[in-house]
Amino acid sequence: MKAYLGLYTARLETPARSLKEKRALIKPALERLKARFPVSAARLYGLDAWGYEVVGFTLLGNDPAWVEETMRAAARFLAEAGGFQVALEEFRLEAFELDGLI
């Protein structure tokens, strides 16, 4: 039996003119993402830059099709959150054996 880990990372570019303005765009979008989808999300890099930020989220499940479908839906939701543009994005899906645990 396997478990599947989905990982999504994206560089978000913002029109913000301050860190406070950028945080007001990105932080609520990530909170809405976590409320709507079963993902863990984090601000990863660029927290001290006002023009961009790198964010990511993960999802763990036992069905690779469900993990991938949910990750892509969550990525679309984030892109449509408004106030910023997804400049670059990357998806990964990793499989892990659970045989030693069962």
Side-chain angles (χ1 to χ4, degrees):
M1 180 158 204
K2 292 183 179 181
Y4 299 89
L5 176 66
L7 171 63
Y8 172 83
T9 54
R11 178 186 170 111
L12 307 179
E13 294 186 353
T14 73
R17 296 178 184 218
S18 70
L19 294 177
K20 185 176 180 179
E21 187 178 331
K22 180 185 78 167
R23 187 174 58 246
L25 293 172
I26 293 177
K27 191 173 178 184
L30 290 180
E31 292 301 320
R32 288 191 304 273
L33 178 75
K34 292 188 296 186
R36 181 163 181 150
F37 295 94
V39 298
S40 293
R43 299 168 66 205
L44 301 172
Y45 187 78
L47 282 81
D48 57 347
W50 53 266
Y52 78 96
E53 190 162 313
V54 176
V55 300
F57 60 83
T58 62
L59 174 62
L60 183 64
N62 65 351
D63 179 357
W66 176 80
V67 171
E68 184 171 356
E69 179 183 316
T70 304
M71 294 288 289
R72 295 208 182 267
R76 282 191 303 273
F77 181 83
L78 181 62
E80 295 168 359
F84 50 80
Q85 179 181 356
V86 177
L88 298 168
E89 64 182 355
E90 183 179 344
F91 288 92
R92 287 189 187 172
L93 184 63
E94 300 284 333
F96 298 92
E97 290 292 336
L98 298 177
D99 293 341
L101 299 172
I102 300 173

